Amino acid sequence: MSLGRPFSLTYLGHATFRLTTGSGKVVLLDPWVMGNPACPEALRKFDRIDLMLITHGHFDHIGDAVDLAKKHKPDIAAVFETCLWLQSKGVEKTSPMNKGGTQKLAGVSLTMVSADHSCGILDKDDKGRDVVIYGGEACGYVLTLEDGFRIYHAGDTNVFGDMKIIGDLYKPDLAMLPIGDLFTMSPREAAYAIRLLGVKKVIPMHFATFPPLTGTPEALREQARDVAGLEILALEPGETLR
Ligand SMILES: [Zn+2]
């Protein structure tokens, strides 16, 4: 698929995306590839990663963060407490932030915005038992690329009224929205989110990875059929939007 813009965005399945900016920087959003059953094998390896963004601490979003960070040494943006946990694992170059804040990394201006979700990090204690670490709060990001194009990655969330504020303030050109239901928005909620955000190009995510994530792009199209000019860009895992 083509947007006629100087970046490319590859869907790695679930909520994971690889963005290559116009200046050639590689941004990985929600690093989960090795255990991600939707990620094509050939896309589990990277030549470089300049920036990693983490929406929250659940394994299906942070699963490969530590390994990939140690290998590629990217800048990493995450909420403050998740950065502390990453630092405790020996990860360098974390750039902690919180909701409402903006910072520029790898040429991309990042604004952290709300998401309505949980953020516990599953870890092991010194006896090898499972423990859940407080990871701060779940978030989404608005990315402003070098040419001004704005991308909103909602993270895992339900629909919430402040999406109207995200739409008013940042006017995203493209949004990645979860539609799978059970742990996030269903297509019905995602359609409501589209109306609040005023966005006209939407990539559905966080569906079909596991059987309980039952929402589909077809159901989203049906629920949002009243939205004039809306394009639902249903990428297959491995597919690139250019
Ligand atoms: Zn998730």
Side-chain angles (χ1 to χ4, degrees), residues 130-150:
D130 285 346
V131 288
V132 176
I133 308 283
Y134 177 66
E137 290 190 2
C139 71
Y141 292 95
V142 176
L143 286 68
T144 306
L145 305 184
E146 293 113 328
D147 68 346
F149 193 84
R150 287 218 173 109

Side-chain angles (χ1 to χ4, degrees), residues 14 56 60-61 117 156 206:
H14 202 57
H56 65 291
D60 58 321
H61 298 260
H117 196 68
D156 281 6
H206 213 280

Side-chain angles (χ1 to χ4, degrees), residues 1-239:
M1 281 186 215
S2 175
L3 285 178
R5 308 291 297 206
F7 69 87
S8 69
L9 184 68
T10 302
Y11 185 38
L12 304 187
H14 202 57
T16 304
F17 291 84
R18 189 188 66 202
L19 168 73
T20 304
T21 69
S23 65
K25 302 285 190 194
V26 176
V27 183
L28 185 61
L29 295 100
D30 275 352
W32 187 50
V33 289
M34 297 312 289
N36 180 348
C39 184
E41 180 63 33
L43 297 176
R44 290 182 169 139
K45 289 206 170 70
F46 301 87
D47 294 331
R48 60 187 285 178
I49 303 170
D50 299 288
L51 172 61
M52 203 185 278
L53 303 184
I54 295 168
T55 62
H56 65 291
H58 292 162
F59 74 94
D60 58 321
H61 298 260
I62 202 174
D64 294 306
V66 173
D67 287 348
L68 290 173
K70 288 183 176 175
K71 184 162 186 199
H72 297 283
K73 307 247 184 295
D75 288 309
I76 302 177
V79 76
F80 179 72
E81 290 82 357
T82 293
C83 282
L84 290 180
W85 179 82
L86 290 167
Q87 289 162 18
S88 78
K89 299 295 174 187
V91 171
E92 301 164 24
K93 293 175 71 178
T94 58
S95 294
M97 61 191 305
N98 221 314
K99 297 168 188 178
T102 298
Q103 60 179 330
K104 196 165 189 177
L105 295 168
V108 179
S109 176
L110 311 170
T111 302
M112 183 174 278
V113 295
S114 288
D116 199 345
H117 196 68
S118 57
C119 190
I121 303 171
L122 185 61
D123 201 352
K124 299 281 186 194
D125 69 9
D126 51 14
K127 294 195 171 65
R129 296 172 298 204
D130 285 346
V131 288
V132 176
I133 308 283
Y134 177 66
E137 290 190 2
C139 71
Y141 292 95
V142 176
L143 286 68
T144 306
L145 305 184
E146 293 113 328
D147 68 346
F149 193 84
R150 287 218 173 109
I151 299 173
Y152 168 48
H153 186 295
D156 281 6
T157 188
N158 59 352
V159 67
F160 54 91
D162 288 358
M163 285 182 176
K164 171 80 165 61
I165 298 178
I166 296 171
D168 286 349
L169 281 178
Y170 303 111
K171 298 182 173 48
D173 297 292
L174 171 69
M176 291 94 115
L177 300 178
I179 65 162
D181 208 335
L182 190 59
F183 291 101
T184 69
M185 295 195 280
S186 63
R188 185 176 179 218
E189 288 209 356
Y192 201 99
I194 287 167
R195 294 183 201 105
L196 290 176
L197 290 161
V199 67
K200 298 298 184 191
K201 291 180 171 54
V202 172
I203 300 175
M205 65 175 181
H206 213 280
F207 68 98
T209 321
F210 307 108
L213 305 186
T214 55
T216 64
E218 294 71 33
L220 178 61
R221 282 195 184 97
E222 178 61 24
Q223 291 286 340
R225 66 185 185 279
D226 58 302
V227 180
L230 177 65
E231 285 181 80
I232 304 292
L233 307 167
L235 301 181
E236 294 291 330
E239 192 174 351

